[in-house]
Amino acid sequence: MPHQPSPSSTTIRKRPRFITLAAVIFLLFSTFGWLRFQQAVVGSAWLNTLNIFPPPPYFALTGALWGLVGLLTAIALFTGWRSAPRITLIAAGFFVLSYWLDYLLFNQSPAAFQSLIFEITISLLGLLFAAFLPRLPGSRRFFNESSGN
């Protein structure tokens, strides 16, 4: 009879669903960032003819930052790095802060402020989710038992 490994040596950590959900959300933010970067680079000549402010390099830079931060955070969550909860909170703060800086500094249309309550609510819910991620059931065990740290 062939040797059977003990169950403890083949145990695969199960990723909690809310951690998978958070990783997917950060992958979406990453995708939006990379699309912003791509559109700013490809459309820079056309955007320059519009004399918009901020200029296209700003959109490319912030898009690349969103893409990179979102991707690194998703990887940290997906692989279970011990520091993933802290990275997630920092990344969530980065996304909320950069969104609101863009929104408040560069929106010139009064119509843009009609959904202000909704946008504030979504921002606060996102920050709360990121803050409570390490406290959710199974989260501590998942990140502490990680072998990829």
Side-chain angles (χ1 to χ4, degrees):
M1 178 174 247
H3 171 64
Q4 296 291 328
S6 68
S8 63
S9 68
T10 60
T11 302
I12 297 174
R13 291 179 310 122
K14 182 158 174 63
R15 183 180 310 101
R17 288 186 182 167
F18 54 83
I19 292 176
T20 302
L21 173 65
V24 168
I25 289 169
F26 279 100
L27 279 177
L28 286 171
F29 278 103
S30 178
T31 301
F32 295 148
W34 290 120
L35 287 172
R36 180 175 174 151
F37 171 78
Q38 184 264 345
Q39 289 297 303
V41 170
V42 170
S44 65
W46 177 72
L47 289 170
N48 281 328
T49 65
L50 300 175
N51 292 324
I52 60 169
F53 184 79
Y58 170 82
F59 295 112
L61 177 65
T62 55
L65 280 172
W66 272 52
L68 189 60
V69 169
L71 182 62
L72 293 176
T73 305
I75 290 170
L77 286 166
F78 195 77
T79 59
W81 292 352
R82 278 198 180 131
S83 56
R86 192 171 339 139
I87 292 169
T88 301
L89 186 57
I90 292 168
F94 164 76
F95 285 125
V96 168
L97 181 64
S98 66
Y99 172 79
W100 282 104
L101 284 174
D102 266 8
Y103 190 83
L104 296 172
L105 293 176
F106 304 124
N107 267 331
Q108 298 175 354
S109 169
F113 294 95
Q114 290 182 350
S115 61
L116 196 58
I117 299 297
F118 174 76
E119 294 177 52
I120 290 171
T121 302
I122 294 299
S123 296
L124 291 175
L125 287 174
L127 288 173
L128 283 172
F129 180 68
F132 284 104
L133 185 68
R135 294 169 182 83
L136 294 173
S139 181
R140 284 191 179 134
R141 183 175 18 90
F142 177 72
F143 291 118
N144 288 333
E145 293 175 0
S146 174
S147 61
N149 291 329

